Amino acid sequence: MLKIEQVAVAYGAIDALHGISLQVGQGEVVALLGANGAGKTTLLRTISGLLRPKAGEIRFEGEALGRSSAESRVKRGIAHVPEGRRIFPGLTVMENLDVATTIWRRRGMSSAEDLATVFALFPRLQERAGQLGWSLSGGEQQMLAIGRALMARPKMLLLDEPSLGLAPRLSEEVYRRIADINAKGVTVLLVEQNTVLALEVAHRAYVIENGHIVLEGPARELARHPRVREAYLGA
Ligand code: ATP
């Protein structure tokens, strides 16, 4: 579904990604693992069109994304939930979800149906529909950020550190919902520092170090790999 070939990205004179190649198949959950500053966020931002690669190509469903805008990529079915759950703090839960709907209504889609899907996944959001964004707990804000992305009916969800700053119980809950979303047919590419959790939910994973992919494989195999155990699982 997603094919990244030799993608290089730089911030001015500083190279962040050096010829990254990876693939995500339809229906997969794929995790990108790596330390702070390895380039994981840069890669997600490049896929969603927020950054331009200086070399290489990204194909989605067989078509080169080229220099297409972030907005056009959302329309093609790629939705990005950025790190730090950028919800609108001064808007209610419902208004946060409506912001997405306003964009999608142009496509003549029924937003009521999308809302029902989001509330079925995250009943807490329905309970708190009238509550302002800032007053939600960290876990609820993460669920709202994911819910808002789902309003776009994505084929592929890009998730940047969905467990960041959450207590273990909430992180597990967010990951259970990610598995539910995947079970409904949405392909997932996620960046995660919580390697244990990511490898439990992902089918496959890639490890990025200093802008290079250094390891890849089925999640179960990577969880047993000495380099992963030592560097990311504290074994
Ligand atoms: P983190 O988990 O900390 O976000 P990451 O793996 O997502 O780490 P990136 O944020 O993609 O890493 O950063 C990759 C490299 O690019 C780092 O060396 C970082 O310092 C650099 N970098 C990131 N954003 C910028 C920027 N806006 N300008 C210059 N350099 C940047």
Side-chain angles (χ1 to χ4, degrees), residues 11 16 35-42 83 161 193:
Y11 295 101
N36 276 322
K40 308 179 299 296
T41 296
T42 300
E83 188 174 351
E161 304 225 16
Q193 300 257 2

Side-chain angles (χ1 to χ4, degrees), residues 57-205:
E57 184 146 58
I58 301 177
R59 292 181 168 274
F60 185 66
E61 297 187 305
E63 278 180 52
L65 293 178
R67 300 181 68 79
S68 59
S69 67
E71 196 193 347
S72 77
R73 294 181 196 200
V74 180
K75 287 186 182 147
R76 287 194 202 206
I78 302 174
H80 185 175
V81 181
E83 188 174 351
R85 19 180 207 268
R86 310 258 169 74
I87 59 157
F88 298 107
L91 299 184
T92 65
V93 166
M94 194 58 117
E95 287 164 348
N96 266 279
L97 295 171
D98 263 343
V99 169
T101 316
T102 315
I103 300 166
W104 297 107
R105 207 168 280 146
R106 278 194 251 132
R107 234 160 77 177
M109 288 181 160
S110 142
S111 58
E113 202 180 307
D114 295 326
L115 208 54
T117 307
V118 170
F119 285 156
L121 266 167
F122 303 117
R124 265 302 250 289
L125 293 182
Q126 186 158 25
E127 288 162 24
R128 313 213 157 200
Q131 207 169 308
L132 293 175
W134 64 265
S135 71
L136 299 175
S137 72
E140 290 162 356
Q141 288 186 20
Q142 183 63 60
M143 290 170 192
L144 178 54
I146 295 173
R148 193 177 56 187
L150 291 176
M151 296 296 284
R153 293 194 189 179
K155 295 175 185 166
M156 173 175 260
L157 206 50
L158 308 176
L159 298 168
D160 200 343
E161 304 225 16
S163 81
L164 189 74
L166 302 185
R169 197 177 47 80
L170 275 173
S171 301
E172 283 161 22
E173 159 124 32
V174 165
Y175 268 82
R176 274 198 296 277
R177 295 296 87 79
I178 293 170
D180 292 343
I181 292 164
N182 175 246
K184 287 179 188 293
V186 180
T187 303
V188 177
L189 177 61
L190 60 91
V191 158
E192 188 52 81
Q193 300 257 2
N194 186 333
T195 306
V196 175
L197 207 47
L199 289 179
E200 271 172 24
V201 175
H203 303 114
R204 288 190 306 114

